[in-house]
Amino acid sequence: MRLEGKTALITGGASGIGLATVRKFVREGAKVMIADIDLRQAEAAVAAIAGEGFDGAVAAVAVDVSVYAQVEAAVARAVEVFGRLDVIFNNAGIAGGRPLLEHEPEKDYEPIIRIDQNGVYYGILAAGRQFRRQGTGGVIVSTSSIYGEQAAELSFSYSAAKAAVISFTRSAAYELAEYGVRAVAITPGRVGTPIINQFSEELKSTFAAEQLRNRLTAPEEIADVVAFLASDEANAINGTVVSVDDGYSVFKQRLDLPVF
């Protein structure tokens, strides 16, 4: 088990990519603190995972990642429960958007920046300080997006926040290397999370067609990559962006082949 003996804090860990990653980490031998704004859902996840034979391997803490004191407290809680912190997965986020010129900043810009951008900054800062105190190094994995590297429909604020995550990752890797800390960002494409699954079948089919396998990526497939990045097997991966987009970024659209 590649994460045997490691402890992790996963934000947004009660659903979607976060929950899939919690389950993957536990199966790989880690102990995990599920940090989520929905404590009831996080506690339900803890109970379910414990019932699968992993009692004592998971715990839950309420956190609003847009508030630094709460992120700092979640890190402290993970250390209190499990004795140390080895990995943080800054995964909590929200989506949404409308055309730029129709923006109401307090609705269409500020919440996304607070959660998707500031929340990652706070996670990097709080975990980085804990790693320095421990003197044992650590790994920071943060969820960016394909939208962090390109323009897209209705994504002005979201793209800005996800681009910031990439910049944060590079700078954190540079500044924290002396403490034995690695920082990596991932850029998922179209993933079958609750955010996307709420849409119509027609829209989901359109999203699927944007990827090379012509289907939505499963959250568990993202979790597999995060588990690898958090492991010692990925020690040479630092300060970089790992695309987990099933080819979304390598082509524009599908065309019928011409007859020659």
Side-chain angles (χ1 to χ4, degrees), residues 17 31 33 37 52 70 75-76 101 105 114 131 146 166 170 181 211 216 223 228 238-239 253:
I17 292 172
K31 294 183 177 179
M33 180 63 69
I37 197 167
E52 295 165 5
Q70 292 193 30
V75 168
L101 298 185
R114 283 199 306 268
F131 294 150
I146 49 175
I166 293 172
R170 292 169 177 156
V181 176
Q211 304 195 144
L216 299 177
F228 165 68
N238 195 8
Q253 64 185 49

Side-chain angles (χ1 to χ4, degrees), residues 2 139 141 182 184-186 224-232 234-235 237 242 244:
R2 58 163 53 112
V139 181
V141 182
R182 291 192 294 114
V184 186
I186 60 169
D224 288 342
V225 176
V226 176
F228 165 68
L229 293 173
S231 75
D232 293 341
N235 281 342
I237 302 177
V242 177
V244 282

Side-chain angles (χ1 to χ4, degrees), residues 13-32:
S15 64
I17 292 172
L19 180 56
T21 306
V22 171
R23 292 183 178 278
K24 176 67 174 180
F25 272 41
V26 169
R27 291 196 302 270
E28 291 284 359
K31 294 183 177 179
V32 182

Side-chain angles (χ1 to χ4, degrees), residues 47-110:
I49 294 169
E52 295 165 5
F54 297 102
D55 190 29
V58 283
V61 63
V63 64
D64 178 346
V65 297
S66 71
V67 180
Y68 177 68
Q70 292 193 30
V71 177
E72 189 176 41
V75 168
R77 180 61 178 160
V79 174
E80 178 185 357
V81 173
F82 298 125
R84 58 182 289 128
L85 185 68
D86 300 291
V87 180
I88 187 168
F89 181 29
N90 295 307
N91 173 71
I94 59 172
R98 68 175 68 197
L100 172 60
L101 298 185
E102 296 177 15
H103 270 206
E104 297 177 45
E106 68 279 6
K107 295 180 180 179
D108 301 308
Y109 178 77
E110 293 167 10

Side-chain angles (χ1 to χ4, degrees), residues 11-236:
T11 67
S15 64
I17 292 172
L19 180 56
T21 306
V22 171
R23 292 183 178 278
K24 176 67 174 180
F25 272 41
V26 169
R27 291 196 302 270
E28 291 284 359
K31 294 183 177 179
V32 182
M33 180 63 69
I34 301 174
D36 202 283
I37 197 167
D38 188 337
L39 182 59
R40 180 176 298 180
Q41 190 171 3
E43 289 175 336
V46 169
I49 294 169
E52 295 165 5
F54 297 102
D55 190 29
V58 283
V61 63
V63 64
D64 178 346
V65 297
S66 71
V67 180
Y68 177 68
Q70 292 193 30
V71 177
E72 189 176 41
V75 168
R77 180 61 178 160
V79 174
E80 178 185 357
V81 173
F82 298 125
R84 58 182 289 128
L85 185 68
D86 300 291
V87 180
I88 187 168
F89 181 29
N90 295 307
N91 173 71
I94 59 172
R98 68 175 68 197
L100 172 60
L101 298 185
E102 296 177 15
H103 270 206
E104 297 177 45
E106 68 279 6
K107 295 180 180 179
D108 301 308
Y109 178 77
E110 293 167 10
I112 289 176
I113 296 301
R114 283 199 306 268
I115 295 170
D116 293 2
Q117 178 172 318
N118 295 353
V120 172
Y121 162 65
Y122 295 153
I124 291 171
L125 182 59
R129 286 173 169 169
Q130 177 60 32
F131 294 150
R132 182 178 62 180
R133 281 192 294 271
Q134 289 177 180
T136 54
V139 181
I140 299 167
V141 182
S142 302
T143 300
S144 178
S145 168
I146 49 175
Y147 283 6
E149 297 184 308
Q150 57 187 263
E153 66 285 349
L154 308 179
S155 68
F156 186 92
S157 303
Y158 186 77
S159 292
K162 293 302 185 178
V165 171
I166 293 172
S167 182
F168 289 164
T169 295
R170 292 169 177 156
S171 296
Y174 177 78
E175 291 208 29
L176 302 180
E178 66 178 292
Y179 304 110
V181 176
R182 291 192 294 114
V184 186
I186 60 169
T187 52
R190 304 298 196 184
V191 183
T193 64
I195 291 175
I196 283 185
N197 287 334
Q198 67 181 318
F199 298 133
S200 69
E201 290 302 317
E202 181 181 6
L203 183 54
K204 286 192 289 185
S205 293
T206 298
F207 286 160
E210 294 177 303
Q211 304 195 144
L212 290 177
R213 291 179 297 174
N214 202 30
R215 67 173 179 82
L216 299 177
T217 302
E220 291 76 14
E221 294 176 300
I222 306 298
D224 288 342
V225 176
V226 176
F228 165 68
L229 293 173
S231 75
D232 293 341
E233 295 174 2
N235 281 342

